[in-house]
Amino acid sequence: MNHRSGGLGLVQGTALYVASVLGTGLLVLPGLAAEVAGPASIVAVIAVIGLSIPLAGTFAALAARYPDPGGVASYARRALGGTVARMTGYWFMFGVAAGAPVVAVLGAEYVAAIVGIDRSMVPVLAASFFLPPFAANAFGVRVAGWMQFVLTALLLAVVVGVVALAAPAVEPQNFAPFLPHGWLGVGTAISLFVWAFAGWEVGTHISGEFRDPRRVIPLATTIALVITGACYLVLQIVTVGALGSSAGEGQVPLLDLARLGSPVVGAAAVGAIAGIVALGVLNAYLAAFAKLGASLAENRDLPRWFAKGAESGGIPRRALALTGGVFAIWFALMLSSGLELTGFILVHTSCMVSIYAVGMIAAVRLLRRGTAGWWLALVAAVLCIGLVALAWASLLPAAGLALAAIAVTLWRRMRPSRRNDDAGRADIVEPDPRAASVES
């Protein structure tokens, strides 16, 4: 059995999953979706919850059966070879990382707007959001897990509070007409909410830190899917019913919603949400980035010096420092752009859909054919390939990182003494035979 004393339990694991998915989308997506689809945006949320089931279920099956810090990169290594694994690792480590300063700036913008801080201080406030997550992860994922439990509990409490404040303002007439922009508007809203439900891959990188991944990971994933789905659905219903046609008009739609019930308490609640979301998402992703960086180094896809701490229970402080450097570069680029977020979001999302597509194709090859996990992976693979097609216009950064991975392969082939580097360490931890129950 793959048990580890002192590792993450169900409560901490669920909190990490919830924070990975229930992120900054709370701050903007309900209003934006209502603006493009009207009351039918509720249908879009329900559709994306349904689409999330095969994706989340497949990642849970992989993480429980193959607990490995490399996450999707390790699954790709086992199923598709070293070059594809390196691509996947680079997409996450250097591409998805572009979303970190976006998270910090979004949180800082909300807090600054509510507290009344001059916007010139937003970069300083955003930078401060990085400090607690880095400090927590420097002491290991167990400390970060308990920090995440506290942050997630506060986040859920504030969401419930905002909904309770705004619920009395819901008016039945705001739900008509139900399809003001037709089904095309619903399709646009679905595209928006796909990104709200991204984040299930984060648990694969820390799967080896769970006490009993075969039992805990599927349970944590299921609970997190129910919680995040319920939060987005209820928030969407209240946003449409309370704000009506004005939803999405302001830059801080969640603040508009909260102020309906209580201008003072509501604003404070939204400020708390912004801060908690930024800290929670950064904390959850940092654990994944650090473990992945150490795993990539152990497989010689990064300098070996960063490999320390890749083992289960280890603290990858060197890889954490590397992650900090990557974040700092993206943050500096964002400052030079005048805090323009769009380009950085596109880099993040293009790399994310590429990772999902490779991960699901690898899952189809790794999971036992004909099992429930295999069928989930097959459905998810088709959906993810469709997402890649939709994101074709923003795939240039992902293509660049893929070329870098191919260049490393060619360089190694020209050096016979390093020809076996792609093998890296002993692939992925062999699955527990009893883990088959996760897929069946």
Side-chain angles (χ1 to χ4, degrees):
M1 294 204 324
N2 195 6
H3 290 226
R4 195 174 74 77
S5 59
L8 294 173
L10 180 61
V11 172
Q12 295 162 287
T14 301
L16 284 164
Y17 273 111
V18 169
S20 300
V21 179
L22 197 65
T24 50
L26 279 174
L27 303 179
V28 293
L29 285 178
L32 290 177
E35 184 179 30
V36 299
S41 58
I42 297 168
V43 175
V45 177
I46 295 171
V48 176
I49 292 172
L51 293 173
S52 298
I53 293 172
L55 188 67
T58 301
F59 277 129
L62 286 170
R65 186 170 174 81
Y66 304 103
D68 185 275
V72 180
S74 291
Y75 309 145
R77 188 180 306 278
R78 186 181 183 92
L80 303 169
T83 300
V84 178
R86 193 177 304 114
M87 287 181 189
T88 306
Y90 288 177
W91 284 333
F92 196 92
M93 193 76 194
F94 303 110
V96 173
V102 174
V103 171
V105 169
L106 279 175
E109 291 275 18
Y110 254 84
V111 171
I114 292 163
V115 179
I117 300 175
D118 188 271
R119 195 170 183 271
S120 63
M121 293 300 293
V122 166
V124 176
L125 188 58
S128 70
F129 278 117
F130 289 109
L131 299 180
F134 269 99
N137 279 276
F139 289 98
V141 73
R142 190 180 181 191
V143 172
W146 280 116
M147 175 182 170
Q148 196 62 62
F149 168 68
V150 174
L151 291 173
T152 302
L154 289 171
L155 172 60
L156 294 176
V158 174
V159 170
V160 171
V162 169
V163 169
L165 287 170
V170 171
E171 298 288 346
Q173 60 266 28
N174 286 335
F175 293 94
F178 191 72
L179 275 170
H181 307 293
W183 289 107
L184 185 61
V186 176
T188 304
I190 288 175
S191 297
L192 288 169
F193 271 108
V194 162
W195 309 122
F197 284 87
W200 299 109
E201 80 290 342
V202 170
T204 63
H205 298 286
I206 56 172
S207 53
E209 304 303 317
F210 284 86
R211 296 190 194 116
D212 182 3
R214 180 172 62 90
R215 182 186 67 85
V216 172
I217 289 176
L219 279 175
T221 300
T222 302
I223 295 170
L225 185 58
V226 172
I227 291 174
T228 55
C231 282
Y232 272 117
L233 182 58
V234 171
L235 195 57
Q236 193 64 38
I237 293 171
V238 174
T239 297
V240 170
L243 296 179
S245 60
S246 65
E249 290 181 358
Q251 292 184 331
V252 283
L254 194 62
L255 180 58
D256 297 334
L257 187 67
R259 282 176 170 162
L260 290 176
S262 173
V264 177
V265 176
V270 171
I273 278 187
I276 292 168
V277 163
L279 288 173
V281 171
L282 290 172
N283 185 58
Y285 268 90
L286 267 179
F289 277 113
K291 278 295 184 181
L292 172 62
S295 176
L296 288 172
E298 200 169 35
N299 284 291
R300 298 187 185 277
D301 294 328
L302 291 175
R304 287 278 296 178
W305 188 80
F306 293 108
K308 184 177 177 60
E311 71 281 358
S312 294
I315 303 176
R317 293 191 177 96
R318 294 177 181 178
L320 186 66
L322 173 63
T323 302
V326 174
F327 282 11
I329 291 171
W330 283 118
F331 191 60
L333 290 172
M334 181 171 288
L335 292 179
S336 67
S337 72
L339 300 183
E340 174 57 47
L341 305 183
T342 304
F344 299 90
I345 293 173
L346 289 174
V347 172
H348 172 92
T349 54
S350 66
C351 290
M352 187 64 77
V353 295
S354 302
I355 291 169
Y356 280 179
V358 168
M360 295 304 100
I361 293 170
V364 170
R365 300 193 65 179
L366 288 174
L367 298 176
R368 194 165 65 248
R369 189 180 183 87
T371 61
W374 183 85
W375 281 109
L376 286 173
L378 186 63
V379 172
V382 173
L383 294 174
C384 288
I385 291 172
L387 287 177
V388 171
L390 288 173
W392 68 271
S394 58
L395 287 175
L396 184 59
L401 290 169
L403 288 175
I406 293 171
V408 172
T409 297
L410 295 175
W411 177 72
R412 287 181 176 179
R413 287 179 179 174
M414 291 188 292
R415 301 183 64 198
S417 63
R418 303 295 291 275
R419 189 169 293 170
N420 293 326
D421 279 355
D422 269 354
R425 57 188 171 83
D427 231 334
I428 301 178
V429 177
E430 286 301 316
D432 183 342
R434 280 168 289 190
S437 61
V438 174
E439 307 165 46
S440 56

